[in-house]
Amino acid sequence: MRVTLASVTSLDGRITRGDDPNVHAWSSAEDWSHFIKLRSEHDVVVMDRTTYEAVKPEPVAGLLRIVLTNHVHLYARQVMPGQLEFMALRPKPLLAELAARGRTRILLAGGSTMSADFLHEGVVDDVYLTFEPLLFGAGKPVIATEHALNIQLQLEDVIQLNERGTLLAHYTTVR
């Protein structure tokens, strides 16, 4: 199983502009194009509840969307088995569940606490960070600070996505 973390961030490491969780309000079209391409290479997208509420992603054929929430019961009417599911699992049990269902390529797409949890448990293989040329000074960080992390990454590639200077960096975890 391969687990990829993807996030877009301001240059000062924020995934939200203040309290606004709508990343589409400030991220570039080029980042979105990259995300769509990356999503097409995976069979599961995992996000937290806040990201789900902010973007309300449309169904994509063959793609299972998992929303991690401690309030699964609040989403019972939105469940579409095999397409949109809500779970309250930690990273390793979630990955075991997905492996048992034959899923092999997992994309983590949103949530600083969720990202920190997966990194803390040592299950992330690839990290894609898009750096938008913006400074917010406030907002949620890319990685929540609830966990002390000491993860070494190896830079694989950097691409400039547009003339404004949006950069896409691809890292792999060193184990």
Side-chain angles (χ1 to χ4, degrees), residues 82-174:
Q83 290 186 338
L84 176 62
E85 300 177 15
F86 299 84
M87 298 182 177
L89 294 175
R90 299 288 306 153
K92 286 183 179 176
L94 172 63
L95 295 178
E97 162 76 17
L98 293 172
R101 292 164 68 172
R103 303 295 179 143
T104 60
R105 298 202 35 95
I106 314 304
L107 179 61
L108 307 176
S112 61
T113 299
M114 182 192 80
S115 296
D117 289 345
F118 278 82
L119 286 164
H120 179 71
E121 292 196 19
V123 296
V124 175
D125 301 296
D126 294 280
V127 176
Y128 285 89
L129 288 176
T130 301
F131 296 96
E132 295 288 359
L134 301 165
L135 298 170
F136 295 151
K140 287 188 178 182
V142 173
I143 306 297
T145 58
E146 286 90 18
H147 302 295
L149 297 176
N150 185 17
I151 298 168
Q152 185 176 354
L153 301 174
Q154 173 65 47
L155 180 64
E156 298 296 329
D157 196 16
V158 178
I159 301 167
Q160 183 170 334
L161 296 180
N162 59 32
E163 290 182 14
R164 284 189 46 232
T166 300
L167 299 176
L168 171 64
H170 173 210
Y171 298 88
T172 53
T173 54
V174 177

Side-chain angles (χ1 to χ4, degrees), residues 1-73:
M1 177 171 294
R2 192 132 189 112
V3 177
T4 301
L5 177 110
S7 188
V8 60
T9 178
S10 62
L11 289 179
D12 55 346
R14 305 299 173 174
I15 61 170
T16 64
R17 185 169 49 195
D19 293 334
D20 183 3
N22 183 7
V23 67
H24 297 296
W26 55 268
S27 61
S28 63
E30 294 83 3
D31 171 65
W32 182 244
S33 293
H34 169 270
F35 179 80
I36 296 300
K37 179 183 177 299
L38 195 59
R39 183 183 71 186
S40 73
E41 298 167 359
H42 292 79
D43 52 11
V44 179
V45 172
V46 179
M47 67 191 81
D48 68 348
R49 179 196 54 81
T50 304
T51 302
Y52 172 74
E53 292 293 345
V55 299
K56 295 283 188 175
E58 296 292 321
V60 175
L63 181 70
L64 171 60
R65 294 163 299 145
I66 301 285
V67 179
L68 297 180
T69 177
N70 290 325
H71 307 287
V72 173
H73 63 282

